[in-house]
Amino acid sequence: MSDDYQKLSEDQIKKELMNLNGWTIANGKLNRTFEFKDFNEAFGFMTRVAMEVEKLNHHPEWFNVYNKVKIELVTHDVNGISNYDFKLANIINILVEK
């Protein structure tokens, strides 16, 4: 685990969520579902995300069915949502707009 991981308080999470389009908290995780034209577009998105995930060494929980990709972010090492979950969510938002 990186020393940079910081578990966020509920107030910090609420503040960060205000600046993060499309994401919500459910079951103690930061999550968002993306819908694409077809499976190929969804898989391409997942591939782009995977490249960034490896750079951060912070991996999502994700589920794909045809054109939908659901992403859940939580930092197991701190037993909650961390600054890295929001960092990755912001990167994902940028990637989906491309």
Side-chain angles (χ1 to χ4, degrees):
M1 177 177 96
S2 170
D3 292 334
D4 296 339
Y5 287 95
Q6 298 170 2
K7 183 175 181 177
L8 302 180
S9 69
E10 283 190 39
D11 286 341
Q12 289 171 311
I13 291 168
K14 286 177 187 175
K15 183 180 175 188
E16 291 288 334
L17 267 179
M18 291 192 313
N19 299 315
L20 189 62
N21 187 34
W23 293 79
T24 60
I25 302 296
N27 301 317
K29 299 175 184 178
L30 188 58
N31 71 73
R32 182 172 177 187
T33 299
F34 300 89
E35 190 168 338
F36 299 93
K37 179 179 67 176
D38 55 26
F39 176 76
N40 196 38
E41 196 174 291
F43 191 83
F45 166 72
M46 291 177 73
T47 302
R48 290 189 305 277
V49 171
M51 303 290 277
E52 296 300 321
V53 160
E54 282 300 304
K55 290 177 192 173
L56 278 180
N57 193 28
H58 189 63
H59 301 83
E61 296 175 12
W62 55 6
F63 311 91
N64 167 243
V65 177
Y66 184 60
N67 68 332
K68 291 185 181 153
V69 178
K70 179 179 181 181
I71 299 177
E72 297 179 338
L73 302 175
V74 66
T75 304
H76 297 285
D77 290 339
V78 299
N79 198 28
I81 296 173
S82 77
N83 56 321
Y84 267 65
D85 297 308
F86 279 96
K87 182 184 251 187
L88 182 52
N90 277 300
I91 291 169
I92 291 168
N93 276 0
I94 291 167
L95 291 174
V96 80
E97 292 172 9
K98 288 186 175 181

